[in-house]
Structure formats: structure tokens, C-alpha cells
Amino acid sequence: MPGNNYCPSPTTPRTRLERLLRDRELRKSSRVSTPSEEIGDTLSEADFFSQDSILSCQLSDEQQDFEGLLEGSPPQDVRPRKQRLLVVANRLPVSATRMADDAWHLEISVGGLVSALLGVKEFDARWIGWAGVHVPDESGQKALTEALAKKRCIPVFLDEDTVHQYYNGYCNNVLWPLFHYLGLPQEDRLSTTRSFQSQFDAYKRANHMFADVVNEHYEEGDVVWCHDYHLMFLPKCLKEHNSKMKVGWFLHTPFPSSEIHRMLPSRSDLLRSVLAADLVGFHTYDYARHFVSACTRILGLEGTPEGVEDQGRLTRVAAFPIGIDSDRFIRALELPKVKESMKDLKERFAGRKLMLGVDRLDMIKGIPQKILAFEAFLEENPQWREKVVLLQIAVPTRTDVPEYQKLTSQVHEIVGRINGKFGTLTSVPIHHLDRSLDFTALCALYAVTDVALVTSLRDGMNLVSYEFVACQAAKKGVLILSEFAGAAQSLGAGALLVNPWNISDVATSIRYALNMSEDEREKRFHHNFMHVTTHTSQEWAATFVSELNDTVVEAQLRTRQVLPVLPIDTAVSRYTCSHNRLLILGFNGSLTEPVDSSGRRGGQIRELEPRLNPELKEPLKKLCGDEKTTVIVLSGSDRSVLDNNFEEFNMWLAAENGMFLRLTSGDWMTTMPENLNMDWVDSVKHVFEYFTERTPRSHFELRETSLVWNYKYADVEFGRLQARDLLQHLWTGPISNAALDVVHGGRSVEVRAVGVTKGAAIDRILGEIVHNKNMKAPIDYVLCIGHFLNKDEDIYSFFEPELPAMTHMSSRATSPDPYGYASRGSKPKLPGSRTPKSQAHLMKQRSLSTLERSNFGTSSWRQLGRDDRASHEGSSVLDLKGENYFSCAVSKKRTNARYLLRSSSDVVELLKELADTVP
């Protein structure tokens, strides 16, 4: 298996948890035996991949140390080849400047993701992304590619128009605001293109360009890790090119609730594209839950504790909270330059408590709310006005955007008003800086701070809180953290969580933090410090890649248990070689028009009145006209539905799970036994009416042998809760002792008499068909296709020729059969049929008795009395060999059928090919 050659242990743990625990122990032991290489202590970092470190992007004197890590050095000893990791992100971790036609100057941009992957020693990482510059000429592209190759980076070249529409347009103007709950811009406020669709087209085009580069450099066994909202379309592009590629996708921003995401015009396309990945990761469980909910509510897929299932394929969805390189911050505090800065800051703010805010000047960072809360604190606590100072670092971003310019003016206005109101000739309460700080200055500032204030209105993670905790070993300051930051789920136990929109609440928390006892401060700090130092960025990256590898292994193990897809060529070939063929076709979900799941809320009326797929009309006419072929449509639908769709064909119709039967040229007959009791209908009907009234967009069908309550188009979660209540009431209510089956389908609840199943009815149906056609030749080919409820899948085992007769009988005896549906004896062979004695024990021989009279008082079907037909006239033998029996479930992951057809489109393809063989 590709990629498994990297596992050093020959013993493969049996469970997924065992494998992950083993990988974790191996990583720990590897770090103990091979100390990590030191990164230059005075390196500066830039805001990269939506992370929250606000640091300078200029290189320090230790650049060569860092570049050595990025470029990698050949190992001195001979070791097994490391697994390659292709990290794909919108931007490369370098900034390129063109010096001449064939000369480029590269600067390393260190961010949270870069630091995370630098610490992962067990993988051989390559970076793929846009270099941030437009290079139109081939010579320039070649020179830049060669220069980046030395840094283990691979460029993706995007033209200016694509960058404008893809990055500035769709990514920053549509996805980023939506994912941060800011809503979508008005159509006339978009970029010059003024169109969601044109920007989305550019987005897809850019993702295809990234995919082309990945495919060009991909080697078997590589792990491809896609990052952030810029590349949501990439997993689908990669999987379409190579379905065996290991693909993971991680989002560094929040993922909004389904009600927010559903506003996006391309909502379904993006969700399905991400689901092509093997593993989808988020910072917090809330984001992962929102993603699964969006897939469930918008796409109509099944959400599970492990992820999202689509036609048997599982995309694992999990939370992987990112961390920081805490050791680097801790080591930095010992540098002379940092100690000198700490000394200066302590002297500068002597006698005053220092509060710190470090943010990008962005709408989601809540800087105005933070400053207003500080103002409220000063108004309510005049004794603190001369004893506390707020130092706010606000790094300007997107200065050319009007909304950001307006925010900057707003912040400056509030700061000026507060300083004018509470300031003195010698001091002001707020120090506001519109710039970034270098790494050493920031570490010193973290170390001397008493209270850190993070008031994000919506934030993917916010690593500033982590950096503050890492530098507080001596001070043990207090962290006030917004509950809307992803870090709140990790550091919430040790921090003071606040709602930044509640100004008075934040002001109260400031007072509590400043007056907190030393003992409480130490307890809170210890909890957060342990988390920050153990959940590092390196551990985050290693855990994600390890789980991605294991997810692929788990998927391969699961694939071995999944049914094989029907070999259509084989089925057609055996069909042509047979002499008496039987085709049993389900209707709903098999022969009906496909309903687009992405538009499931618009398809309810269509599904209430199911229609035959128009593409099947000609194939069915051909098959029904073949003298050697008998076609039965066996459905749970009522008779009128089948009449409306199949009146024109020469076939047999079996409605309501086979309880009613007719040849399209004849009248309806019933297969129901005389003693079938339907007295329970009224009591169940009242219950179904009640739950239909309580559950919007649900409905129920009153059939002649069953009642069905359907909640497919209701709210997913509410419908599931209502179904649970309904089932509990049915099982414990007035019908609890009745001879009834309560069948819980995918999104339906059906009540029917015990023994009313397709498998039980087919015995009698075949008996009537054999008698009607005066069938002499044994049936030697059976094709059974349907999207049946589990209760009705006994029809698949009915035709299994490989099952011994006794096994079959005992399996049918496991369910009650009060109405005499079980076989009543063995049937003789038809004249002319030959069965070798050695195969006799593999043959199932059933009595196919004639249709019995129904005690239902209606004249809408023909009532047949018992007659004295000879058994050879009313029965038949299935001279069926294993290679001539094909049972196929349509789009079901758990079934008793032999084969799988993924969708109704595959049914169309199969029947067309069978029809083409009919002369």
C-alpha cells in the first residue's frame, strides 16, 4: 500500500486508535533520540496563512540558520527515506523580488504554519504556492523556479487578472467575510467584475492551476496537505486526477453555521469539493460541527461522529487546534536584547499595571470594543485611572480598502477621546501603535504585561493568546479572552472568557483581572502554560499528517468490506447467453428521475409525484418486447403511481411491496392472504396525522397495506427527533402488541403487517406469472435491482442459488410469518430441466401457489378464488446458477445484495446495454 513503507514497525495494530497511539509514541521517542535543530532566536515572523502572530517581516542576522532548516541538509547517516509532504497553500513562505532578468532575491516569511512544519522532522516537506509576484516571461519563471527549488518551494504562476478575481475578489471579498459572519457584499459592491459567478470561475481556474502543479510533482505515497479557504476546490481537482492520492484539507479560519454558509451561491460546489479530501481539519470542534451540519442540511448527506458519508464513502472530519513553537518564545526571554527591553519597559511603566492588546487592524479583531470597554472600566473605577495603561499594537492591513480606512479613523477617534478625557500632562491611559514590532520587542512586551486583552469578534484561533502565555513564566499574568476566538476552547479554563459585545462585562473582567489574587493567577497560568507547551505547532502538524495517513488506511480497510460495483459487461454477457430471463426492478430511487441533492428543498413536489426517467422509456420497451424476458416492477408505491408511469409497457407491476399485482394489459389482483388484519390502520393514522402537523414539510401516505410517514424534507435534526418520538410512541402505544412491523427507513417511518415484504410476496408473484405465461423453460437468469428498505432486502436472498435450501428456510423462519407466506413444500422440476445430483443441494425449490382471495372489500382488483391447478401449472423451478444471478442495491452502503450501483444513472446505463442486445 502506498505510503505504508514509511512505518518502521512490522506489526500493524488492529484498531485505528492503536495505530494513532503507536504513531504518537514513535514521534515522542524520535524527538528524545534526535534533538530538534535550533532556529535562530531573533527571527522575525509575518502574518502568514491567516495566523495571528503580529511580527516584523524583515530577516535577522540568523537568516542562514533558518534557511538551512528550510532547505534541509543531507543526513550524515543512512536512514529510511522520509515520507514526502506536499504543503499546498495560497502563498509560499518566501517573498520574491526581481533583481534582474535572471536574478531573484528571496526573503523568508515565517508564520505559524511555517514554524509548525519546520518542527516536523519525520516528513520531507515541499511547499507549493503562489510567490506573490506576476512573472509573465518564461525566462523569469524558469529563474524563479530554480531559485525557489533551493528553498524546497515550487511556484504556481498566476496571471494578474486571475489574482485580481480569485484572490482579491472571491477569496477576500466573498469567502473571508462570510466565514467571519460578516455576510456577503452586495452584487454592485463587488470588484470591477461585479459578478459572483465570474469571480467563482476565476477561483476554480486558479485551483485547477494549483492542481496542475501538484500533479506534476506528485510521487506515489506522497501526502498532499491543502490549506485554507483559498483552495477549497483543490481536493476535488486532485482526486479526479488520481483517486489514490492522499489528500488532506485544513481551514485556518472559522467555518460558519449552515444558515450562514447557505447564503453562498456556490455553497454546494465548495462543500462537495472539500469532501473529496480524505481528512478535513478545523481548529475547533464547533467549526467541524458546522461543516458537518452544512453537508447534512445543504447536500442532504449523512453526518456521523467520524465525518460525512456519501454513498458509502466516508470523509473524516476532525478538530486539530494549532499551537505555537513555545520553546522559541521561552528561549527568547533569555537573550540579552530581550532582557534589556524588559528592563526598559518596567522602568517606563513603573507603578502602573500594563494591559496589552496585539491585533491586526481588522474588523473581526474587536479593537473598538476593547477600547470602549477600557473606557467603561476607567469611568467605573476612578481609583485605577493613574495606575493602569493599555498598550494597543494595531498592525495596519489592506490600507487601500475603504472599510479598513474607516475602521482606522474610528479607532483613532476613540483613542483620542479617551486620552483627552482621562489623560494628564505626564501620562495617558492608552498607548496606540499603528505598526508591528520585531520578535525581541514583542517577547519583552509579553513578559512584562499584567493583563492581555483579546476581544476578537470572530477568530479562527488567535495565537497571540498562546504567545502571551508562553512568555509569562515569571509574571504569571491574566489572559482575558473572547469566547468567539478559537483559542477559547483550548485556553478557556485558565482565561477569563468574555463576550466582546458586552462592554460592561469586559469592563468587569478587567477589574477582576487586575485585583486577582496571586494564588488564582498561578493556578490559571499553570493550566494554560501546560496546554501551550504540550500542544505545540509541531505536534499539530505531526498529528494531522499521522491521522491523514491512518484515515487512508482505514478507508482502504473499509473498501474491502464494501460491495463490488456491478460488472455491467459480465451481467450483459450472461444475459445474452441465457434463455429465460427475469428482471425485477425497484422504482423509487432506481427508475425515477434523479433529484439533485444540492437542490433538495426544491425537489419535494417532484418526489411526491415520482416520474419514470425519460431515458428509460426506449430501453424498457425493448426489454418488455423480448419473449425471453419477463420484467417486473416491484415497488412500495401504490397502484396509481405504477399505472401512471408504466401503462404503456408490456410488463408486470407489483405495488405496495408486492401485495397487488397486474399485467399491464390485465386487471389488478391481490396477493394478500385471507386473514390479513387491517384493523390497526385508524389508530396509526391518527398518530401520523399528529406528527405531520407537528413537523413542517413532512407528509404521510395512506396505502392499502401500510402507512408511511416521510420527513425527508423537514429540518434534518428536528425530523430526526420527531421520528424518535414517533417510534417510541408506536413501540409502546396501543399497537405495541399487534402483529405489525415498524420499519425505520433513511428518513421515513412505515407501519405494515408482519410478513408484508417483497421477499415474501415474490413467491406468489412468480407463481401467477408462471401460470399466466404457461412457462415451461426454467428461469436461468435473474437480475434484481432496487433501492429497498432493509426489511425488503429478503428478496435478494430469495434468489441466492448458492444458499443451501435448509439455510434459506431457517433464515426465513427467523421473522414471524403469521399469514402463511413461507414456502409450503418443494416444487417439482419442470419437464426438460436437468440438475446434476452434485448440485441438488444448492438448489432452492419453492412452492409458487396461486393468488389467494383477499378479504378486503373492494372491487378495484380481480379477486381470485382457490383453484385446483396442477402444481406444474402454477409453479416453477429456478434453474439458476451463481454466475447468472445479479442482485444490485442502488446507492446503499449496507445491503444484502451482491453488487452495488452507485446511482440511478448507472441503472440507466445497464438497462440501455441490455436493451441493445435485444434483436
Side-chain angles (χ1 to χ4, degrees):
M1 200 163 1
N4 285 356
N5 55 322
Y6 304 103
C7 297
S9 173
T11 305
T12 301
R14 289 176 296 178
T15 67
R16 177 176 173 275
L17 181 59
E18 288 176 356
R19 291 193 297 270
L20 293 175
L21 289 174
R22 183 201 61 178
D23 290 346
R24 182 172 179 268
E25 293 303 317
L26 288 175
R27 290 199 303 271
K28 284 186 175 181
S29 61
S30 175
R31 288 170 191 163
V32 171
S33 59
T34 308
S36 301
E37 301 173 60
E38 296 292 326
I39 301 178
D41 290 311
T42 59
L43 280 176
S44 301
E45 298 185 11
D47 188 36
F48 185 61
F49 293 131
S50 304
Q51 299 307 321
D52 303 288
S53 298
I54 310 299
L55 304 169
S56 167
C57 58
Q58 299 297 319
L59 283 179
S60 63
D61 295 335
E62 282 76 11
Q63 175 178 341
Q64 296 301 321
D65 293 339
F66 180 82
E67 290 182 352
L69 278 177
L70 192 59
E71 295 171 11
S73 55
Q76 301 300 320
D77 55 341
V78 179
R79 297 179 183 176
R81 184 171 70 89
K82 296 179 180 179
Q83 184 174 19
R84 290 209 326 165
L85 175 64
L86 301 183
V87 181
V88 192
N90 176 61
R91 290 292 300 271
L92 290 172
V94 296
S95 298
T97 305
R98 195 163 191 170
M99 308 302 294
D101 289 344
D102 296 329
W104 289 86
H105 174 67
L106 303 179
E107 288 186 348
I108 308 298
S109 302
V110 186
L113 180 59
V114 183
S115 300
L117 295 175
L118 285 174
V120 181
K121 307 301 180 183
E122 55 263 44
F123 301 104
D124 178 13
R126 300 283 192 281
W127 294 76
I128 298 177
W130 178 49
V133 292
H134 176 52
V135 189
D137 57 298
E138 292 187 6
S139 60
Q141 292 182 5
K142 181 179 179 182
L144 180 57
T145 301
E146 293 175 352
L148 289 171
K150 299 176 182 178
K151 311 291 183 188
R152 294 179 175 266
C153 294
I154 302 167
V156 178
F157 294 105
L158 305 176
D159 59 84
E160 289 182 324
D161 181 64
T162 299
V163 170
H164 177 65
Q165 294 197 67
Y166 145 72
Y167 182 68
N168 298 325
Y170 199 76
C171 292
N172 289 342
N173 218 21
V174 178
L175 291 181
W176 190 90
L178 188 77
F179 282 12
H180 289 86
Y181 292 79
L182 299 180
L184 291 174
Q186 295 294 327
E187 189 80 7
D188 60 351
R189 297 185 61 193
L190 293 175
S191 306
T192 55
T193 55
R194 297 182 183 274
S195 168
F196 283 116
Q197 188 58 46
S198 61
Q199 292 188 354
F200 183 58
D201 291 341
Y203 181 86
K204 291 191 292 185
R205 186 166 63 252
N207 275 247
H208 277 290
M209 296 169 73
F210 276 86
D212 291 340
V213 176
V214 174
N215 293 331
E216 180 183 351
H217 293 84
Y218 174 81
E219 298 177 3
E220 185 179 0
D222 288 355
V223 171
V224 183
W225 192 1
C226 311
H227 287 270
D228 232 354
Y229 57 91
H230 312 88
L231 301 175
M232 295 182 72
F233 217 76
L234 184 57
K236 179 180 178 181
C237 299
L238 297 176
K239 284 290 190 176
E240 286 178 347
H241 181 267
N242 184 351
S243 61
K244 296 183 179 180
M245 188 181 295
K246 299 179 184 179
V247 179
W249 182 80
F250 191 90
L251 182 66
H252 293 266
T253 69
F255 191 90
S257 71
S258 60
E259 289 304 307
I260 297 294
H261 184 79
R262 73 182 319 113
M263 294 191 298
L264 193 62
S266 53
R267 59 191 187 183
S268 300
D269 293 336
L270 291 179
L271 289 176
R272 289 202 176 275
S273 298
V274 171
L275 287 175
D278 299 295
L279 176 63
V280 176
F282 300 90
H283 281 311
T284 71
Y285 172 73
D286 280 350
Y287 307 156
R289 178 171 53 85
H290 289 163
F291 177 80
V292 173
S293 175
C295 293
T296 301
R297 295 174 181 271
I298 296 174
L299 300 181
L301 302 179
E302 181 180 353
T304 71
E306 290 188 338
V308 179
E309 282 197 23
D310 184 8
Q311 296 184 7
R313 182 186 183 275
L314 173 67
T315 298
R316 179 162 160 70
V317 180
F320 302 90
I322 197 173
I324 63 170
D325 186 359
S326 55
D327 287 343
R328 181 166 175 260
F329 284 86
I330 295 172
R331 292 196 308 268
L333 298 179
E334 301 301 321
L335 296 176
K337 188 176 180 181
V338 175
K339 289 183 177 181
E340 185 66 26
S341 297
M342 291 170 60
K343 180 180 177 182
D344 294 342
L345 289 170
K346 289 178 181 179
E347 293 175 356
R348 173 71 179 81
F349 298 108
R352 307 179 76 179
K353 293 285 188 179
L354 178 60
M355 297 177 58
L356 177 65
V358 181
D359 306 278
R360 293 196 312 273
L361 191 53
D362 207 328
M363 275 86 71
I364 65 167
K365 295 301 182 179
I367 297 177
Q369 287 79 1
K370 180 189 305 184
I371 300 174
L372 290 173
F374 185 64
E375 179 186 25
F377 165 75
L378 294 178
E379 288 179 344
E380 297 169 2
N381 302 274
Q383 71 275 15
W384 278 100
R385 293 176 183 174
E386 300 290 332
K387 299 178 182 179
V388 65
V389 60
L390 171 62
L391 177 55
Q392 176 63 51
I393 311 297
V395 182
T397 58
R398 305 183 69 183
T399 54
D400 57 333
V401 178
E403 286 81 359
Y404 285 77
Q405 295 171 354
K406 182 179 179 180
L407 175 65
T408 303
S409 299
Q410 180 188 15
V411 170
H412 288 173
E413 179 184 347
I414 298 174
V415 170
R417 175 170 55 81
I418 296 174
N419 282 340
K421 182 178 181 181
F422 298 105
T424 65
L425 292 175
T426 57
S427 65
V428 290
I430 300 178
H431 291 236
H432 182 85
L433 300 181
D434 280 333
R435 63 182 179 86
S436 62
L437 298 180
D438 63 30
F439 179 68
T440 55
L442 193 61
C443 288
L445 197 54
Y446 281 144
V448 300
T449 296
D450 295 283
V451 178
L453 195 52
V454 178
T455 55
S456 304
L457 305 181
R458 190 72 59 176
D459 224 342
M461 195 63 182
N462 194 292
L463 296 181
V464 167
S465 54
Y466 278 64
E467 295 169 357
F468 167 74
V469 171
C471 296
Q472 281 286 311
K475 192 81 171 180
K476 296 178 176 58
V478 181
L479 173 64
I480 299 178
L481 182 59
S482 167
E483 63 187 51
F484 300 116
Q489 293 197 15
S490 303
L491 305 180
L496 296 178
L497 295 184
V498 295
N499 177 359
W501 295 101
N502 189 337
I503 301 300
S504 60
D505 179 46
V506 179
T508 302
S509 297
I510 292 175
R511 182 177 69 248
Y512 185 82
L514 292 173
N515 293 307
M516 187 179 293
S517 66
E518 182 178 353
D519 181 61
E520 184 178 353
R521 286 204 322 269
E522 288 186 359
K523 289 180 179 178
R524 288 178 176 272
F525 167 77
H526 177 74
H527 184 280
N528 284 346
F529 188 76
M530 289 298 296
H531 181 88
V532 169
T533 53
T534 55
H535 295 76
T536 63
S537 55
Q538 295 86 356
E539 184 66 23
W540 164 78
T543 301
F544 185 92
V545 177
S546 175
E547 291 230 13
L548 175 56
N549 273 319
D550 190 78
T551 298
V552 174
V553 172
E554 191 77 11
Q556 292 169 338
L557 294 175
R558 191 183 299 110
T559 301
R560 296 172 187 172
Q561 302 171 0
V562 173
L563 287 178
V565 176
L566 174 70
I568 292 181
D569 292 342
T570 304
V572 173
S573 173
R574 303 305 302 177
Y575 176 87
T576 58
C577 297
S578 55
H579 303 287
N580 191 5
R581 309 137 180 169
L582 176 64
L583 305 186
I584 302 175
L585 308 175
F587 180 48
N588 290 309
S590 301
L591 304 182
T592 50
E593 291 180 293
V595 177
D596 184 10
S597 60
S598 63
R600 46 187 298 270
R601 290 188 180 271
Q604 182 172 5
I605 300 300
R606 290 173 57 192
E607 198 157 307
L608 287 175
E609 299 178 0
R611 290 285 182 265
L612 175 67
N613 192 325
E615 295 186 51
L616 286 173
K617 289 190 175 182
E618 289 303 318
L620 284 178
K621 283 182 180 178
K622 275 191 172 185
L623 293 171
C624 294
D626 183 14
E627 294 182 354
K628 296 181 179 180
T629 303
T630 302
V631 180
I632 307 173
V633 173
L634 179 57
S635 172
S637 300
D638 59 35
R639 292 171 291 150
S640 62
V641 172
L642 298 189
D643 283 339
N644 293 337
N645 284 280
F646 299 99
E647 187 73 36
E648 61 187 282
F649 304 102
N650 179 27
M651 62 168 58
W652 290 84
L653 304 179
E656 298 205 24
N657 300 308
M659 294 297 101
F660 298 97
L661 178 70
R662 70 170 285 208
L663 184 62
T664 50
S665 59
D667 297 326
W668 281 101
M669 306 170 270
T670 179
T671 68
M672 292 187 296
E674 294 178 351
N675 58 342
L676 186 66
N677 183 6
M678 299 296 291
D679 296 339
W680 51 270
V681 171
D682 286 340
S683 59
V684 175
K685 178 184 175 183
H686 293 317
V687 175
F688 277 17
E689 287 176 342
Y690 172 74
F691 277 90
T692 300
E693 293 173 358
R694 287 183 56 192
T695 313
R697 301 195 65 167
S698 68
H699 65 277
F700 80 93
E701 300 174 53
L702 177 59
R703 299 172 181 171
E704 295 183 68
T705 59
S706 65
L707 278 80
V708 182
W709 182 67
N710 190 303
Y711 59 95
K712 178 177 181 179
Y713 291 94
D715 179 87
V716 176
E717 297 298 330
F718 185 61
R720 191 175 294 149
L721 292 174
Q722 292 291 81
R724 186 178 64 184
D725 289 347
L726 171 60
L727 289 169
Q728 184 176 5
H729 180 80
L730 291 174
W731 286 330
T732 60
I735 66 169
S736 57
N737 296 322
L740 300 175
D741 277 332
V742 179
V743 184
H744 191 192
R747 288 175 188 167
S748 66
V749 176
E750 181 177 0
V751 179
R752 59 170 81 155
V754 171
V756 177
T757 67
K758 293 179 173 66
I762 194 65
D763 203 8
R764 299 164 181 271
I765 292 172
L766 287 180
E768 179 63 23
I769 293 174
V770 168
H771 172 72
N772 181 278
K773 298 183 70 171
N774 194 23
M775 191 179 291
K776 300 300 182 182
I779 296 174
D780 59 354
Y781 179 95
V782 175
L783 173 65
C784 185
I785 301 174
H787 182 81
F788 300 137
L789 295 173
N790 292 338
K791 186 73 176 177
D792 294 319
E793 287 201 343
D794 53 356
I795 191 173
Y796 295 141
S797 57
F798 182 92
F799 290 101
E800 278 293 349
E802 271 84 13
L803 289 177
M806 291 305 295
T807 302
H808 172 73
M809 293 302 295
S810 61
S811 66
R812 294 180 66 179
T814 55
S815 59
D817 188 20
Y819 304 119
Y821 278 118
S823 300
R824 301 174 184 173
S826 61
K827 53 187 178 243
K829 290 195 302 178
L830 286 177
S833 63
R834 294 172 179 255
T835 304
K837 292 183 178 180
S838 60
Q839 298 180 10
H841 69 287
L842 297 178
M843 300 293 296
K844 293 201 300 284
Q845 302 183 3
R846 307 177 184 80
S847 171
L848 301 181
S849 56
T850 58
L851 297 176
E852 299 181 17
R853 183 191 308 272
S854 169
N855 63 348
F856 247 52
T858 176
S859 59
S860 58
W861 61 79
R862 179 164 57 91
Q863 298 181 354
L864 293 181
R866 298 182 184 273
D867 55 30
D868 297 323
R869 294 188 188 119
S871 61
H872 69 274
E873 293 177 338
S875 62
S876 176
V877 171
L878 291 173
D879 191 7
L880 192 60
K881 298 180 180 178
E883 59 267 24
N884 278 5
Y885 176 48
F886 298 90
S887 57
C888 312
V890 180
S891 65
K892 287 191 67 175
K893 55 184 180 292
R894 299 181 184 91
T895 176
N896 295 326
R898 288 185 171 193
Y899 301 103
L900 175 69
L901 287 172
R902 294 192 177 92
S903 67
S904 58
S905 299
D906 293 339
V907 178
V908 173
E909 179 186 354
L910 170 62
L911 295 183
K912 281 184 176 180
E913 294 204 20
L914 289 177
D916 289 341
T917 65
V918 177

